[in-house]
Amino acid sequence: MAMEWTEETITRLRELWQQGLSTAEIGRQLEVTKNAVVGKAHRLGLQARPSPIRRPAASARSTVKAPATPAESIPAPAQEMTAPSVSIPAASVAPAGMPPATTQPPQPVAEVRPVAATPAEVARPVVAAPVPPAPPVVAPPVAAPRAEAPVTPPADEEAVPAARPEVRVPLRAVAPPAPRRSGLTCCWPLGDPGTPGFHFCGATPVPGKPYCVEHAQLAYVKLRDRRDNVA
DNA sequence: CCCTGATTCGC
DNA sequence: GCGAATCAGG
């Protein structure tokens, strides 16, 4: 079954591409390989992003890569490391995506959004603010836990408020809770961000996790339990 | 090793 | 047109 780039997937590709996501990341979301993404992107004529490598217009790459093509090679802009602006003429897009930082840390702003990429997820009305006001209680930001739904733990109407944060394999790729030992306190949000009573749990977290034992259970849902909410 | 994106070329 | 294979830099 050959992947059939539908209008929709192409549109999504365009969007994600423009958001500055890596080809691999886009591939994950579209469920195709990064090669497919890159290939398609080029065929679509999408703006090439700063390539990590230089391509001396290789010719026959059969057995051996083409020896240096005498050609004038390249004017060589000589842009050390990963210069962000490159091919794009100044202003234009500048998605604020990749600062001069290395490409390694998966941190384009866009990384935040992908979480809601799954069809089932788009329906969810996003209410909670992405970043709760830092309470004076706990230490530093502790990488503000992605306040998804857990903002209302007990409630009386929400059946399983906590089961929400586990949308789709959040364990990798997207945004690991970043267990900074900046205080060793559970950063599970309690109460409504913005209201006076809001605070973080503060209990001793499970080693390697940002939450205490109880909240870790809420935060990390078993795959079995969510088998029916997927596409 | 991992990651990245670009190109080539068989299909 | 598609994308695996390959290349190549960080």
Side-chain angles (χ1 to χ4, degrees), chain A residues 107 130-132 134-135 138-148 175-183 185-189 200 209-211 220:
Chain A
Q107 284 314 320
V131 181
V138 189
V142 191
R146 302 169 306 161
E148 315 272 318
R180 304 277 178 258
R181 58 285 194 185
S182 45
T185 61
C186 173
C187 57
W188 185 269
F200 290 115
K209 297 281 198 304
Y211 306 118
Y220 303 100

Side-chain angles (χ1 to χ4, degrees), chain A residues 40-111:
Chain A
K40 186 58 182 174
H42 282 195
R43 272 171 246 125
L44 285 174
L46 295 185
Q47 191 68 63
R49 306 238 238 27
S51 169
I53 67 177
R54 107 196 106 80
R55 197 130 269 266
S59 48
R61 68 161 191 62
S62 305
T63 45
V64 185
K65 54 185 174 178
T69 298
E72 318 61 52
S73 55
I74 332 171
Q79 44 181 317
E80 43 199 72
M81 61 196 295
T82 52
S85 47
V86 228
S87 51
I88 306 175
S92 67
V93 188
M98 310 193 170
T102 78
T103 54
Q104 291 307 73
Q107 284 314 320
V109 287
E111 287 293 353

Side-chain angles (χ1 to χ4, degrees), chain A residues 6-205:
Chain A
T6 63
E7 293 283 328
E8 209 217 282
T9 48
I10 290 177
T11 297
R12 289 223 282 151
L13 166 59
R14 279 207 167 94
E15 289 176 357
L16 297 170
W17 181 271
Q18 197 171 345
Q19 285 172 32
L21 289 177
S22 73
T23 57
E25 181 58 32
I26 295 173
R28 268 171 235 131
Q29 293 189 31
L30 264 43
E31 297 192 88
V32 297
T33 65
K34 68 156 193 158
N35 288 322
V37 171
V38 175
K40 186 58 182 174
H42 282 195
R43 272 171 246 125
L44 285 174
L46 295 185
Q47 191 68 63
R49 306 238 238 27
S51 169
I53 67 177
R54 107 196 106 80
R55 197 130 269 266
S59 48
R61 68 161 191 62
S62 305
T63 45
V64 185
K65 54 185 174 178
T69 298
E72 318 61 52
S73 55
I74 332 171
Q79 44 181 317
E80 43 199 72
M81 61 196 295
T82 52
S85 47
V86 228
S87 51
I88 306 175
S92 67
V93 188
M98 310 193 170
T102 78
T103 54
Q104 291 307 73
Q107 284 314 320
V109 287
E111 287 293 353
V112 186
R113 210 200 70 128
V115 192
T118 37
E121 184 67 353
V122 294
R124 180 174 63 86
V126 180
V127 183
V131 181
V137 188
V138 189
V142 191
R146 302 169 306 161
E148 315 272 318
V151 286
T152 28
D156 38 345
E157 41 191 69
E158 289 290 305
V160 276
R164 214 45 256 198
E166 178 79 43
V167 190
R168 166 199 171 233
V169 280
L171 298 185
R172 64 122 153 84
V174 184
R180 304 277 178 258
R181 58 285 194 185
S182 45
L184 296 166
T185 61
C186 173
C187 57
W188 185 269
L190 296 175
D192 267 314
T195 61
F198 177 78
H199 64 287
F200 290 115
C201 170
T204 301

Side-chain angles (χ1 to χ4, degrees), chain A residues 212-228:
Chain A
C212 65
V213 149
E214 291 99 331
H215 292 138
Q217 286 177 32
L218 295 175
Y220 303 100
V221 175
K222 311 292 185 296
L223 284 172
R224 290 197 310 279
D225 299 338
R226 53 137 228 158
R227 54 176 160 15
D228 54 342

